Amino acid sequence: MPKLAAFPKAYMQALCKDGTMHVAEWIELASKLDIEGLEWYAGFLEMQDEKNWQQFRQMVADTGKVIPMMCCSPDFTNPDDGFRAIEIAKQKRWIDMTYALGGSYCRVLSGQKRPLLSINEGIKLAAECIEECLPYAAERGIILIIENHYKDDFWEYPEFAQKMDVFCKLVNSIHHPNFGVNYDPSNTYLAGEDPLQLLNKVVHRVVTMHASDRYLKYGTIEDLRKEEGGATGYLKRLSHGEIGKGLNDYDAIFTKLKTAGFNGWISIEDGVDGIEQLERSVTFLRKKMKEYWG
């Protein structure tokens, strides 16, 4: 049976930018949810002080939950060697952070889709950086998970490996027991693509999942697919929605994951309209997980 975690999607500005919410407040909110874990974010303001790491781990443990996953956003596609070296050092610190919090999974990304960067060069740069981090992660028992991502909140350009073919080329270029995929079905819509088609291609590499949903505010999926890169579609046509009420076919998704033997963590990216929405999404996923995993 997979386990369920939650991510503070609605509170990122408050936790990471203006400091109007403390991590302890998020832990208190999440402790009331029917979940086993809290997905962490490396950019929480209070995580800058390493003295807080063990304290937060204990606070979560005191609620009977764990911190299984770390969400962070390395930018490995900058052609400048010095820039990438700094990003590798950041990633290694995030691996240390994951280890200190008792987690097992730490996200990696490709980087930004910079102008004039070719597909082959971007894949080469990202793969080299990830491979440099893998032995460090393995020594600490951490699995690096690459997500089919849209764009970090604080990036100028979208994800380099946003498109399915680029993402799959990058994934297939790295073979290591401490490397896997964090599958996010909603992000495929942001690329104007089919989440089930992507899942078919990477299901054997999926070790964790982000559960979210999207709905079209107007137009059709075909309209979305005509919009270059999905970025325009994200801004105008697509919006976050309660899980189970949007575009994602969770019956099809869970059927494929169950058949492939998936039993990892599923982390909810939801609740942008309040904690009650997040509670309803938890209820929906619990029901579906029980239906497919028993």
Side-chain angles (χ1 to χ4, degrees):
M1 169 72 79
K3 293 182 179 180
L4 204 55
F7 183 81
K9 188 71 175 178
Y11 309 110
M12 292 297 284
Q13 186 73 21
L15 289 166
C16 303
K17 286 305 237 184
D18 56 39
T20 54
M21 185 179 194
H22 293 293
V23 170
E25 295 176 76
W26 162 241
I27 294 172
E28 175 64 20
L29 278 175
S31 70
K32 298 178 174 64
L33 298 170
D34 181 20
I35 57 177
E36 289 89 8
L38 282 67
E39 182 180 2
W40 220 248
Y41 186 66
F44 292 159
L45 290 173
E46 293 169 271
M47 291 302 291
Q48 294 175 14
D49 186 350
E50 293 187 15
K51 295 178 183 177
N52 288 332
W53 295 2
Q54 286 295 334
Q55 180 181 350
F56 289 143
R57 177 178 179 172
Q58 188 59 53
M59 289 173 67
V60 173
D62 287 344
T63 71
K65 305 188 191 305
V66 297
I67 302 171
M69 301 164 60
M70 175 66 68
C71 185
C72 48
S73 302
D75 183 1
F76 291 145
T77 55
N78 193 305
D80 181 79
D81 292 346
F83 184 98
R84 294 196 311 283
I86 292 172
E87 293 299 295
I88 289 169
K90 287 181 185 177
Q91 183 68 50
K92 290 180 177 179
R93 184 172 187 267
W94 294 328
I95 291 168
D96 288 336
M97 187 184 291
T98 307
Y99 179 78
L101 291 169
S104 299
Y105 302 95
C106 184
R107 189 174 79 171
V108 290
L109 296 175
S110 57
Q112 297 186 61
K113 188 179 180 181
R114 293 175 168 81
L116 306 180
L117 179 67
S118 72
I119 298 299
N120 288 339
E121 180 64 13
I123 290 174
K124 177 177 177 291
L125 294 176
E128 287 176 352
C129 290
I130 293 170
E131 287 172 341
E132 186 163 339
C133 295
L134 277 166
Y136 193 84
E139 288 173 0
R140 290 151 184 79
I142 304 298
I143 297 174
L144 299 185
I145 47 174
I146 188 163
E147 181 178 344
N148 56 300
H149 202 236
Y150 163 60
K151 182 183 180 184
D152 183 79
D153 289 343
F154 310 113
W155 280 4
E156 180 179 1
Y157 302 107
E159 180 77 22
F160 169 78
Q162 180 188 18
K163 287 290 191 178
M164 186 185 312
D165 59 342
V166 181
F167 181 76
C168 290
K169 285 179 182 177
L170 177 55
V171 169
N172 292 334
S173 71
I174 301 171
H175 300 279
H176 193 284
N178 288 72
F179 178 74
V181 168
N182 180 66
Y183 171 65
D184 188 321
S186 293
N187 282 342
T188 355
Y189 288 118
L190 304 182
E193 297 177 332
D194 182 349
L196 293 174
Q197 186 179 355
L198 174 62
L199 184 56
N200 280 332
K201 292 177 179 293
V202 300
V203 68
H204 60 292
R205 305 290 297 273
V206 174
V207 294
T208 60
M209 175 182 172
H210 274 164
S212 61
D213 224 334
R214 296 290 195 280
Y215 68 91
L216 283 165
K217 291 190 284 189
Y218 60 88
T220 67
I221 287 291
E222 288 306 314
D223 293 329
L224 176 65
R225 287 171 179 161
K226 292 174 184 175
E227 294 173 336
E228 184 178 359
T232 303
Y234 174 69
L235 295 174
K236 292 183 178 180
R237 297 186 186 276
L238 281 177
S239 178
H240 268 282
E242 184 178 324
I243 298 177
K245 294 188 175 180
L247 295 167
N248 284 320
D249 184 347
Y250 274 89
D251 288 305
I253 291 168
F254 281 178
T255 295
K256 291 181 183 297
L257 288 173
K258 174 63 166 63
T259 301
F262 174 82
N263 65 349
W265 283 88
I266 298 174
S267 182
I268 304 170
E269 284 194 327
D270 187 20
V272 294
D273 294 324
I275 194 69
E276 295 82 8
Q277 182 189 58
L278 184 52
E279 290 172 344
R280 292 193 298 271
S281 292
V282 169
T283 299
F284 171 82
L285 287 167
R286 279 284 178 218
K287 180 181 177 182
K288 286 297 176 186
M289 288 163 64
K290 184 176 181 180
E291 181 178 345
Y292 285 93
W293 278 274

